[in-house]
Amino acid sequence: MLHTSTQQHVFIVTAGYDHTIRFWDAPSARCYRTLQYPDSQVNCLALAPDESVLAAAGNPHVRVFDVGGNNPNPVHTWDGHTTNVTAMGFAESGKWMYTGSEDGTVKIWDARTPMCQRDYESRAAVNAVALHPNQGELISGDQNGNIRVWDLTHNTCSCELVPAGPVAIRSIDVASDGSLVAAANNAGTCFVWKPLLVERNTHFEPHHMIQAHDTFILKCVFSRDVRFLATMSADTTVKLWSTPKFTLARTLEGHQRWVWDGLFSADSAYLVTASSDQTARLWDVQKGETVRQYTGHHKAVVCVVHNDKEDRGDPQPEQE
């Protein structure tokens, strides 16, 4: 992610409460483009699989921007939610997107036109939505502690879980191979299940429960190789848990305030995180050290994406 043998441009995008979206050159930590988002704070970001557009979600709109070129204005706007959009992502094909909102709905959109195709009612504010690698199921978590699996083929809710009563689910992630599902809550607990297909319905077999932090977990995410689960917390730390037993491998310390978001590089060697301390950091997973810091925002940074992909070659140390 710092430097690739194919010399392709690896970039990081951050956003948050200062109404800006910033593009960074990953190796140099140089901000080379800033977009304005005057409507509200930006809650989450999603990069299209072909890297042509970036979607930014706030309250209550989703604005879509061209990644290439210098157009500062959105090329699409998706209206349909009535309050904060808290979760968002593209299908692998890039043809459709999903969103979740505090208005209690999960929506599916045609990525080419600002049209809502489907609408699922969660009956509580939705904080997290993850797309299963099979592209046929969305998994949502809400403020009332419910986890629901939405079967996109049969257009129905196929499974419901309440792992810890009314404690809000804050984040959900599905391992890249579909072998594990993790959900983190406001009590600092992370639940891990093995999803099993039983009579055409997904059944969640309990696998592990981690009391990962003493306060809110704001994000949980698997590494691409499924060797680690990272939890990001209001306690300012990031913890890396080794699969399959979920023992604590290391704690990443450096952020000064809440750590809101993060994701691994394609080769799982690096982790990039976003924090209320107005910075994003790039961490070396094995060393547990910050190798780059992205500084320029004036308020909390709460979301981050990057374009690092497996076909870009193996990361190499940057040439000084």
Side-chain angles (χ1 to χ4, degrees), residues 273-312:
T273 55
S275 170
S276 291
D277 65 11
Q278 305 177 16
T279 71
R281 286 175 180 252
L282 184 68
W283 306 83
D284 183 305
V285 170
Q286 290 302 320
K287 295 180 180 178
E289 298 174 353
T290 299
V291 292
R292 295 290 183 275
Q293 187 165 317
Y294 305 88
T295 305
H297 284 281
H298 304 297
K299 291 186 178 181
V301 184
V302 299
C303 48
V304 59
V305 294
H306 61 62
N307 72 327
D308 192 31
K309 292 183 178 178
E310 291 179 304
D311 60 2
R312 293 188 185 278

Side-chain angles (χ1 to χ4, degrees), residues 236-238 252-257 277 279 281 283 290 293:
T236 77
T237 70
V238 179
L252 307 183
E253 297 179 304
H255 281 300
Q256 302 302 305
R257 295 188 179 179
D277 65 11
T279 71
R281 286 175 180 252
W283 306 83
T290 299
Q293 187 165 317

